[in-house]
C-alpha cells in the first residue's frame, strides 16, 4: 500500500504492507512528519477524515476510505488551537 503524506515540512511517500494496521500508519506518519498529535484530511480538495472510530489494531484494508494511492494532509493539533483561539 502506497500513500502520500503532506505535513508542515512537505510531502513524503509512505509504503506499507497490505496487512499493516491503523496504529502502524499513525506511528509512521508521526515519525515522517515529526508531528506527534495531528488530525488528518484526505483527498483533493482535502476533506476531514473522522478517525475517532478506528482502533489501532484495524487493518488499513478495513478502513472505510480506500487509502492505497491516497494523499493524507496532516494538520498538527497545536497549530489548530492557535488558529481557533487567537490572542
Amino acid at each position: 500500500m502506497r500513500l502520500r503524506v503532506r505535513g508542515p515540512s512537505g510531502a513524503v511517500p509512505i509504503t506499507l504492507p497490505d496487512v499493516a494496521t491503523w496504529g502502524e500508519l499513525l506511528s509512521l506518519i508521526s515519525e515522517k512528519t515529526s508531528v506527534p498529535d495531528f488530525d488528518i484530511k484526505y483527498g483533493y480538495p482535502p476533506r476531514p477524515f473522522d478517525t475517532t472510530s478506528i482502533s489501532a489494531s484495524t487493518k488499513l484494508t478495513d478502513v472505510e476510505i480506500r487509502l492505497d494511492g491516497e494523499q493524507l494532509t496532516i494538520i498538527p493539533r497545536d497549530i489548530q488551537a492557535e488558529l481557533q483561539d487567537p490572542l
Side-chain angles (χ1 to χ4, degrees):
M1 176 172 300
R2 296 176 57 192
L3 21 101
R4 183 179 173 146
V5 174
R6 182 173 298 280
S9 58
V12 293
I14 289 182
T15 303
L16 291 162
D18 288 339
V19 295
T21 64
W22 181 250
E24 292 170 327
L25 175 61
L26 294 180
S27 177
L28 194 54
I29 288 173
S30 185
E31 175 188 319
K32 296 284 187 180
T33 62
S34 299
V35 178
D37 190 25
F38 52 86
D39 286 322
I40 301 174
K41 293 188 176 190
Y42 71 99
Y44 188 82
R47 298 177 298 277
F49 189 173
D50 181 11
T51 61
T52 56
S53 64
I54 304 172
S55 73
S57 61
T58 301
K59 289 186 180 179
L60 294 179
T61 54
D62 294 336
V63 174
E64 65 185 57
I65 296 169
R66 184 175 174 267
L67 294 174
D68 191 31
E70 188 62 73
Q71 174 171 282
L72 302 178
T73 303
I74 305 308
I75 315 289
R77 288 197 174 128
D78 57 345
I79 290 175
Q80 289 182 60
E82 290 174 14
L83 294 174
Q84 292 174 357
D85 191 22
L87 296 175

